[in-house]
Amino acid sequence: MRASVQGDVLSDPASRARYATDASIYQMVPDAIVIPRSEDDVIAAMEVAREAQTCVLPRGGGTSQCGQTVNRGVVLDNTRHLNRIIEIDAEGLTARVQPGLVLDELNRALAPHGLWFPVDPSTASRCTLGGMAANNSSGGKSLRYGITRDNVRAIQAVLPDGTKARFNGADPEPGPYADLVADMRALGQREADEIEARFPKVQRRVGGYNIDALTGNDVNMAHLLVGSEGTLAYFTELELSLAPLPGEKVLGVCHFPSFYAAMDATQHLVTLDPMGVELVDDTMIALGRDIPLFARTIDAFVQGEPAALLLVEFAEGSAEANAAKLAQLADRMGNLGFAFTGAGDRWGGVVPVTDKKLQSAIAEYRKSGLNVMMSMKQAGKPISFVEDCAVALPDLAEYTAGLTEIFSRHGTKGTWYAHASVGCLHVRPVLNMKLDKDVSTMRAIAEETFDLVKRYKGSHSGEHGDGIVRSEFHEKMFGARIVSAFEEVKGRFDPQGLMNPGKVVHAPAMDDRRVFRYGPDYEVPDFETALDWSAWPGAAGGFQGAVEMCNNNGACRKLKGGVMCPSFRATRAERDTTRGRANTLRFAISGQLPGGLTSDAMAETMKLCVSCKGCRRECPTGVDMARMKIEVLAARRKESGLTLADKLVGYLPRYAPSAARVAWLMNLRNKVRPLRNLTEGITGMSARRDLPIWSSDPFRDDEAQDASPDLLLWADVFNRHFEPENLRAALRVFRAAGLKVAVARDGTGRALDCGRTLLSVGCVEEAREEVQRVIDATRDAVANGIPLVGLEPSSILTFRDEALALCPGRDAEALAAATRTFEEYLADISDLPLAPLERPLHVHGHCHQKAHDAVSPMMSVLRRIPGAEVYLIESACCGMAGAFGYAPDTVDVSLKMGALDLFPAVEAAPDDALIVADGTSCRHQIADGTPRRAVHVSRVLDMALSS
């Protein structure tokens, strides 16, 4: 294979582990992964596989929920290179794209033309167009725009035998493709009556092959390929239909006293011709309130304690027309008997949402519905196997009542959400797939549910496809003759059965544990961990449960917005996603990865994790990879010890006072090029970087020791020894506000330390000792309500994060509650005498500030400066990440991260703008990657005082 393709070929155990799962319950370890660079690579790889009689699986974002994108053989990952927009024809309302292009990337390119691709699955930030076509995806707007099949005009594809063809509605030239078309049209004509009798008459039917597209006179062969799940051909190009962007939108949030009432009302609300009607139930609301990312949003649009919500969206093109629709919606709810002044089963009403930001926040919450459900910290999880059945709207209330009864009969319950407007609701009963009894329960629920769906003449596969979980039930739902036709299609396209076998036809049993993520032999042995993981279930004190929280939803593969995952955005490698790392960890702790946690493969997997904590906040299931990396580093350090470079980073706070006494000598390295080159190999610091400049006048604890202080100032090692002017500026700001300040200390003469640098090299026990020192030193002050306030986000926020896992207990919790960033504290101080500062302020938030929702106070405080124009730079991690950006083998990736968003934004700022960044690493990265220099907020406020 390597001799035949230009792209990468991955066959090591760790890489194979990362492609063994998707967002389903299944796991199949492939033999190899090919990252094709071109269509020629695809053809060559398929030829090698064909000669070796090895199956081929085309794969996009790997977010399938039914097991479509797992298999043995060779995986072709389209996403790294085959992701171009080939052409946009704005007048013709079409686009041609490669299969690995992410939907959001296409829509960003279409937006300047006033267009979009109008199929909007919740995974738009990471799903690919090829994957959407293979799955026949849909979304919340399908009521108006249809599903993927309705929006694909043509597909260029490579057949299993190497034949290239353009599948569309045109009559083909004579040849092998023409013969294939003739055979398929003949099948369609022959089976037309059976198709008419057996195929459900609902929009959301994506089960089986689309052989209904072969009936009649207007046959588009591309529609047969749509929904084929990679079993018929490899898509090299897709021609898509586009639509004008919807105009101004409004949302009416309909509240209901019972779930049944919401389901029954849906058929009446859709007559108002909305863009979509989406369901959220009370369990989803409760889970969302426990997730920091969504809690404020929910409070803003949910009134009282509804049992269910229907989110009714209109886009009528003008504010007046939208207002009229909202009025009609309110009238309709009133006519159905619901009012907020009502009681019992008459309580309900409409909360109008016209604010665009709140609309976007609600949409993001709704799109994350699946992952919100998966955030449960317990062994049982909501499992996908009957979650997207679809029925006609008049049957929806009775169908959902019947399904709830089935769940109850089997001792479980489901959480409901999604597309009420088309009768397709997502529901997952909570089961533990490690237990045989729960696997048997899953089977029984599936059998009974599909019988119920058949009774209502619905579709057993309404959105997420067939894969392993539903393919075996085609005969129950369609009948033996239709299944025979499906098999005939597969045999005609792929007589050797090489393309993603076992999907759509000839599938394994859905409850065959041999293809489960947690198979019959899956076990995680107990072992001692460095941190406290007791909030999760499972072995290793809960570390197993924390790792297994990853459900492979792929949110970490998004390319814009938020922080997660900066290393993936730079490399586009699955290894460098939160998901890729979590899967590798799961294999490591369960004995499926040779060498386990301390293996070189595990270290390489974690190497580009910058511990930004973007996943801590943005991963919908709460996977905190930065904390997990500490476990890996600690295990490896225990086995292999520390390098000199590790010691220089980890023990910085301990040798810093001595280094400061010879600051001139420490700074000589930056000035003498030969010294840079000489010390690179010794210190592990790249010669290409200037190191932070040591101050010969570091900040001292005795600079602020006021009696009866209002706050304790946390003097971190970075600001203390490299930029003491920041701490001194902060002191002037505090004192200008009339505040008394004492620097936190313990009387030993050695500065207190948060342990951050020690954790970064796996020195957990030493870090624990340092945190305990801080707890002991601040205990009395904290008990008296005195906050601990710090300037460096990565340092002060340690007490709200890792400290709780290092020293679990009430003392650490009290310290965490008392901890404030500089701006969080000042946000509550009204007496801040600030003079005008007539300059734009362009602000970059540190990743840990974003993870702890501490950017807003930063913006709020700066906006109190008269005359200041404050702008937030929309960027992910700057890429420096402490010592990461200085290491010779990661400096290039570090700079590439900064160049994605941050550097261009900084360079585009006006010449008179101040660039503001609280993070020491951020300021140094900006200095290295741009001609500009950034300053801490304390310096900006000090300027405003001085002016």
Side-chain angles (χ1 to χ4, degrees):
M1 186 69 78
R2 289 189 175 91
S4 301
V5 301
Q6 293 183 333
D8 294 335
V9 178
L10 311 174
S11 58
D12 60 284
S15 293
R16 294 167 61 212
R18 289 188 278 269
Y19 285 86
T21 51
D22 54 13
S24 72
I25 61 175
Y26 300 104
Q27 174 175 298
M28 301 176 75
V29 180
D31 298 324
I33 301 94
V34 175
I35 317 292
R37 288 185 173 273
S38 64
E39 183 177 323
D40 289 342
D41 270 1
V42 171
I43 294 170
M46 291 177 66
E47 182 179 357
V48 171
R50 187 166 59 249
E51 292 174 354
Q53 288 294 293
T54 298
C55 69
V56 172
L57 166 63
R59 177 164 158 142
T63 59
S64 300
Q65 295 178 32
C66 300
Q68 298 98 308
T69 53
V70 296
N71 221 318
R72 319 291 184 198
V74 177
V75 172
L76 299 178
D77 182 348
N78 303 316
T79 60
R80 182 96 65 90
H81 304 297
L82 303 182
N83 53 23
R84 292 188 303 110
I85 297 173
I86 299 168
E87 179 188 39
I88 294 174
D89 180 356
E91 291 185 6
L93 295 178
T94 64
R96 293 189 298 120
V97 303
Q98 289 186 308
L101 180 69
V102 171
L103 174 59
D104 271 359
E105 295 294 289
L106 173 62
N107 282 331
R108 273 190 278 272
L110 292 173
H113 301 282
L115 301 173
W116 71 312
F117 182 64
V119 183
D120 61 331
S122 62
T123 53
S125 64
R126 62 269 196 196
C127 68
T128 64
L129 275 302
M132 290 176 65
N135 187 68
N136 199 5
S137 297
S138 54
K141 308 294 190 299
S142 64
L143 181 65
R144 180 165 294 186
Y145 295 104
I147 59 180
T148 298
R149 169 180 168 173
D150 303 311
N151 294 278
V152 170
R153 297 191 177 196
I155 296 176
Q156 190 80 23
V158 179
L159 294 173
D161 65 0
T163 300
K164 296 197 293 185
R166 184 171 181 81
F167 288 74
N168 56 21
D171 291 328
E173 296 292 329
Y177 172 63
D179 295 341
L180 174 65
V181 172
D183 289 346
M184 291 299 99
R185 287 178 172 173
L187 183 150
Q189 291 176 2
R190 185 189 76 217
E191 302 297 339
D193 290 343
E194 188 73 4
I195 291 168
E196 174 64 23
R198 290 287 191 170
F199 272 43
K201 304 300 188 290
V202 294
Q203 183 204 59
R204 292 299 193 88
R205 192 233 14 110
V206 301
Y209 293 125
N210 289 327
I211 58 174
D212 57 322
L214 302 174
T215 63
N217 298 319
D218 187 18
V219 173
N220 187 331
M221 285 293 290
H223 294 169
L224 177 62
L225 289 187
V226 172
S228 60
E229 300 188 354
T231 63
L232 302 182
Y234 178 97
F235 306 165
T236 57
E237 179 186 312
L238 300 100
E239 182 179 347
L240 309 172
S241 296
L242 308 177
L245 279 168
E248 186 175 337
K249 294 183 288 187
V250 292
L251 196 64
V253 182
C254 299
H255 292 52
F256 293 91
S258 70
F259 182 80
Y260 186 94
M263 295 300 90
D264 188 53
T266 303
Q267 59 187 310
H268 305 292
L269 301 186
V270 296
T271 62
L272 298 177
D273 192 28
M275 288 271 289
V277 180
E278 297 289 293
L279 167 72
V280 176
D281 78 353
D282 54 356
T283 303
M284 271 280 293
I285 295 169
L287 287 171
R289 281 178 167 148
D290 289 336
I291 298 175
L293 189 62
F294 302 126
R296 290 184 181 178
T297 298
I298 293 171
D299 289 342
F301 76 93
V302 177
Q303 183 170 323
E305 299 293 335
L309 304 172
L310 290 178
L311 312 179
V312 184
E313 185 177 35
F314 299 102
E316 301 302 308
S318 70
E320 294 77 12
N322 283 336
K325 282 291 187 181
L326 283 177
Q328 291 176 26
L329 180 64
D331 288 343
R332 182 62 50 88
M333 285 289 287
N335 292 337
L336 292 173
F338 301 110
F340 284 127
T341 56
D345 61 3
R346 296 294 87 194
W347 178 88
V350 180
V351 172
V353 179
T354 57
D355 180 77
K356 292 181 181 179
K357 287 186 177 180
L358 182 55
Q359 289 176 19
S360 297
I362 294 171
E364 190 62 32
Y365 164 65
R366 211 298 300 156
K367 284 184 177 182
S368 298
L370 159 64
N371 304 312
V372 170
M373 285 197 299
M374 297 299 289
S375 66
M376 297 177 178
K377 292 180 180 178
Q378 59 186 53
K381 292 286 192 293
I383 302 300
S384 171
F385 60 101
V386 294
E387 76 153 8
D388 60 336
C389 301
V391 298
L393 289 184
D395 299 321
L396 188 58
E398 293 301 324
Y399 163 71
T400 53
L403 189 50
T404 299
E405 184 179 331
I406 291 173
F407 291 164
S408 177
R409 192 159 57 243
H410 289 281
T412 186
K413 62 180 183 178
T415 294
W416 302 82
Y417 71 102
H419 318 302
S421 58
V422 287
C424 179
L425 298 178
H426 298 331
V427 58
R428 295 184 169 203
V430 176
L431 298 167
N432 184 351
M433 290 294 96
K434 300 186 182 98
L435 302 179
D436 285 334
K437 69 177 185 65
D438 279 19
V439 173
S440 297
T441 298
M442 177 182 72
R443 177 87 202 187
I445 290 175
E447 296 276 8
E448 293 176 36
T449 298
F450 295 149
D451 285 342
L452 182 67
V453 171
K454 188 175 181 181
R455 186 190 317 157
Y456 286 111
K457 299 181 179 180
S459 168
H460 72 311
S461 184
E463 181 169 13
H464 295 150
D466 298 335
I468 299 172
V469 79
R470 276 191 278 266
S471 292
E472 69 158 301
F473 294 101
H474 286 337
E475 186 164 342
K476 175 194 285 279
M477 305 307 294
F478 292 109
R481 183 167 175 174
I482 291 294
V483 169
S484 178
F486 291 163
E487 292 172 347
E488 185 178 338
V489 171
K490 172 67 172 177
R492 182 63 179 83
F493 272 79
D494 184 20
Q496 297 183 62
L498 299 180
M499 296 295 293
N500 199 17
K503 316 295 158 49
V504 186
V505 297
H506 309 304
M510 59 93 74
D511 55 343
D512 184 348
R513 289 194 68 192
R514 293 174 298 176
V515 292
F516 274 26
R517 186 183 305 190
Y518 306 122
D521 299 323
Y522 182 84
E523 183 180 2
V524 175
D526 216 7
F527 61 92
E528 185 178 351
T529 57
L531 300 174
D532 175 40
W533 299 93
S534 59
W536 291 268
F543 184 60
Q544 173 189 359
V547 170
E548 291 173 358
M549 285 298 294
C550 177
N551 71 336
N552 282 2
N553 66 76
C556 45
R557 289 178 62 94
K558 69 180 186 291
L559 298 171
K560 290 284 186 181
V563 175
M564 180 179 70
C565 182
S567 51
F568 171 73
R569 295 183 188 188
T571 69
R572 300 289 184 97
E574 177 68 19
R575 176 198 63 202
D576 300 320
T577 61
T578 305
R579 177 178 77 176
R581 294 176 182 121
N583 280 325
T584 312
L585 275 169
R586 181 170 51 81
F587 268 62
I589 64 175
S590 61
Q592 299 178 78
L593 180 68
L597 280 185
T598 59
S599 65
D600 289 344
M602 194 69 250
E604 191 66 20
T605 301
M606 289 295 190
K607 182 177 178 179
L608 299 188
C609 173
V610 293
S611 299
C612 65
K613 291 196 170 288
C615 50
R616 180 188 184 276
R617 177 175 173 80
E618 295 171 28
C619 172
T621 60
V623 174
D624 187 344
M625 192 51 59
R627 188 178 291 190
M628 293 177 187
K629 182 177 182 178
I630 293 171
E631 284 292 347
V632 175
L633 292 170
R636 197 166 171 86
R637 185 234 174 173
K638 189 174 181 180
E639 183 172 288
S640 306
L642 297 176
T643 65
L644 176 58
D646 290 335
K647 292 176 181 177
L648 287 173
V649 172
Y651 295 115
L652 170 64
R654 300 188 182 180
Y655 67 77
S658 299
R661 296 189 189 101
V662 288
W664 66 271
L665 180 61
M666 299 298 291
N667 294 329
L668 195 61
R669 174 263 185 203
N670 283 359
K671 300 175 182 177
V672 181
R673 171 59 62 177
L675 277 179
R676 290 174 179 256
N677 298 329
L678 177 65
T679 58
E680 179 176 297
I682 300 171
T683 64
M685 300 294 174
S686 172
R688 294 161 54 189
R689 292 273 199 185
D690 278 350
L691 294 181
I693 297 172
W694 290 88
S695 172
S696 58
D697 183 23
F699 187 83
R700 303 180 313 279
D701 288 350
D702 61 9
E703 292 187 44
Q705 289 299 335
D706 298 340
S708 302
D710 296 296
L711 69 138
L712 293 180
L713 177 61
W714 178 254
D716 63 275
V717 65
F718 308 108
N719 283 305
R720 182 188 290 269
H721 287 284
F722 299 114
E723 298 180 80
E725 60 272 21
N726 293 336
L727 287 164
R728 289 169 181 141
L731 276 180
R732 288 191 289 271
V733 172
F734 288 139
R735 285 171 173 159
L739 299 167
K740 294 181 180 180
V741 184
V743 177
R745 62 179 180 176
D746 68 353
T748 64
R750 184 162 72 88
L752 293 175
D753 175 37
C754 69
R756 169 66 61 193
T757 60
L758 291 163
L759 291 174
S760 73
V761 295
C763 295
V764 175
E765 288 308 314
E766 292 97 322
R768 197 186 323 276
E769 292 170 5
E770 294 298 338
V771 169
Q772 190 60 52
R773 283 181 65 215
V774 178
I775 290 173
D776 293 340
T778 61
R779 184 179 287 108
D780 290 345
V782 167
N784 289 322
I786 299 174
L788 181 68
V789 181
L791 275 65
E792 169 57 41
S794 67
S795 181
I796 189 65
L797 292 172
T798 301
F799 301 118
R800 295 223 294 255
D801 197 331
E802 290 88 353
L804 296 168
L806 287 166
C807 303
R810 292 182 178 179
D811 286 345
E813 291 169 3
L815 177 59
T819 296
R820 302 285 186 277
T821 64
F822 178 66
E823 299 86 4
E824 285 175 331
Y825 182 76
L826 289 179
D828 294 329
I829 302 300
S830 57
D831 299 328
L832 200 58
L834 298 171
L837 187 64
E838 304 287 345
R839 297 182 69 174
L841 306 178
H842 288 244
V843 182
H844 168 69
H846 187 282
C847 292
H848 292 191
Q849 286 176 303
K850 295 172 184 175
H852 289 272
D853 201 20
V855 174
S856 295
M858 190 181 181
M859 302 293 289
S860 175
V861 167
L862 289 172
R863 285 177 176 141
R864 288 162 62 180
I865 302 173
E869 300 175 11
V870 187
Y871 305 95
L872 180 64
I873 296 173
E874 296 292 342
S875 63
C877 178
C878 74
M880 182 62 89
F884 176 87
Y886 292 102
D889 56 347
T890 53
V891 62
D892 287 325
V893 174
S894 167
L895 290 168
K896 190 172 183 179
M897 289 181 194
L900 291 173
D901 297 302
L902 178 60
F903 295 168
V906 168
E907 292 180 5
D911 292 340
D912 64 335
L914 279 175
I915 309 300
V916 184
D918 277 355
T920 301
S921 291
C922 306
R923 293 192 295 274
H924 283 269
Q925 180 78 320
I926 290 169
D928 283 358
T930 76
R932 310 294 289 268
R933 296 294 180 269
V935 296
H936 193 280
V937 169
S938 65
R939 301 283 301 283
V940 179
L941 296 179
D942 189 38
M943 291 178 202
L945 293 176
S946 302
S947 63

